[in-house]
Amino acid sequence: MKTILITGCSSGYGLETARHFQARGWQVIATMRTPRAELFPLSGRLRVLPLDVTKPESIAAALEAAGPIDVLVNNAGLGLFGAFEATPMATVRDIFETNTFGTMAMTQAVLPQFRRRRSGLVINVTSTVTLAPMPLVAAYTASKTAIEGFTESLALELAAFDVRVKLVEPGYGPGTRFTANGAERMQGLIPEAYAPFAQSVFAALGRPTAVTTEPEVAEAVWRAAGDPAATLRYPAGADALALARNAAASRQSGV
């Protein structure tokens, strides 16, 4: 029975992914800053542990409590909508602390056990904003793009130890708490000069032709975890699949 540790399981993709793996017989370590065991059905195969990926001591305590794991899913992340001009650099740093440095720190912490066993998988959850950039999420896009490059390079250096690193790229997920969880952080980030443009962007987001759901992301993580191939990217959601095809076609044509 394999063990998976997933960060950011209090809602959205992390919560659904933990439930998905639990239902399929895995040992699941569901982590979140404030543990809420009531989110899951009672099971001897699931534990809920406290974890703040921005704090080294929290990472060390969670991994010690978890014991050996086979798969790490770096899902914890912060969202941010707003004009970059109006975004305090302190807020930008907060986004990077969780989305970028938190992912890197968690990965670095599990690599010694993976390398020694010559077995293990890291799955980093990013976003399709890295495939087709959109406005008003410049800092968020930068934090996720950094992880894409990090993952590409890390996969090459860890292949010699039979340790794999993969990406899951969700599309637009209006059903998640992406905006609600960052409401306070986003206050005041749309100055008057940007208001008409922002309204047009939000109106377009309100009329999506395709979206990504939490079960689709969980299924993409499941595919990545079970796929022995050296595939790097796993788009999640109908919109993500379309964007990935467009991006692949552009690379092939040299655009």
Side-chain angles (χ1 to χ4, degrees), residues 70-74 107 110-111 114 120-124 151 154 158 163-167:
D70 300 288
V71 179
L72 166 66
V73 178
N74 283 310
T107 302
V110 303
L111 288 185
F114 286 179
L121 170 63
V122 177
I123 299 174
N124 293 328
T151 303
L154 189 63
L158 294 180
V163 176
R164 297 173 298 149
V165 191
K166 300 190 175 192
L167 290 161

Side-chain angles (χ1 to χ4, degrees), residues 4 13 65 67 72 75 91 123-124 139 146 183 201 221 226 231 243 251 254:
I4 186 169
Y13 302 146
L72 166 66
N75 166 78
T91 300
I123 299 174
N124 293 328
V201 173
V221 176
T231 305
L243 289 172
R251 286 194 296 268

Side-chain angles (χ1 to χ4, degrees), residues 131 246-255:
L131 301 176
N246 291 340
S250 295
R251 286 194 296 268
Q252 290 175 358
S253 64
V255 176

Side-chain angles (χ1 to χ4, degrees), residues 21-233:
F21 276 80
Q22 180 192 19
R24 284 155 180 78
W26 281 52
Q27 295 275 6
V28 177
I29 310 295
T31 70
M32 57 193 77
R33 283 177 293 180
T34 303
R36 295 178 58 200
E38 70 274 13
L39 294 172
F40 304 94
L42 289 175
S43 171
R45 289 184 288 98
L46 185 139
R47 285 190 289 160
V48 179
L49 296 179
L51 173 62
D52 184 335
V53 300
T54 69
K55 297 179 178 178
E57 64 276 14
S58 180
I59 292 174
L63 290 179
E64 182 176 0
I69 64 172
D70 300 288
V71 179
L72 166 66
V73 178
N74 283 310
N75 166 78
L78 299 177
L80 187 69
F81 276 110
F84 182 72
E85 178 185 339
T87 305
M89 286 307 299
T91 300
V92 175
R93 291 187 178 93
D94 285 344
I95 295 298
F96 270 79
E97 282 294 339
T98 296
N99 295 1
T100 308
F101 302 133
T103 292
M104 290 180 172
M106 282 298 299
T107 302
Q108 191 174 66
V110 303
L111 288 185
Q113 62 169 290
F114 286 179
R115 175 180 49 76
R116 286 193 296 267
R117 292 202 314 261
R118 300 191 70 88
S119 175
L121 170 63
V122 177
I123 299 174
N124 293 328
V125 180
T126 58
S127 169
T128 51
V129 296
T130 63
L131 301 176
M134 62 178 288
L136 302 180
V137 289
Y140 174 79
T141 299
S143 72
K144 291 296 190 177
T145 301
I147 290 302
E148 293 259 330
F150 164 72
T151 303
E152 290 176 328
S153 180
L154 189 63
L156 296 176
E157 72 183 71
L158 294 180
F161 303 102
D162 299 318
V163 176
R164 297 173 298 149
V165 191
K166 300 190 175 192
L167 290 161
V168 167
E169 299 168 321
Y172 175 49
T176 70
R177 293 185 56 81
F178 178 91
T179 302
N181 288 341
E184 183 177 349
R185 190 183 314 113
M186 299 179 204
Q187 288 183 1
L189 299 190
I190 305 293
E192 185 177 351
Y194 285 84
F197 174 67
Q199 288 170 3
S200 67
V201 173
F202 294 145
L205 289 174
R207 302 187 303 270
T209 56
V211 298
T212 294
T213 65
E214 289 95 327
E216 288 172 327
V217 176
E219 180 60 31
V221 176
W222 175 259
R223 289 200 311 273
D227 187 358
T231 305
L232 179 67
R233 290 182 168 83

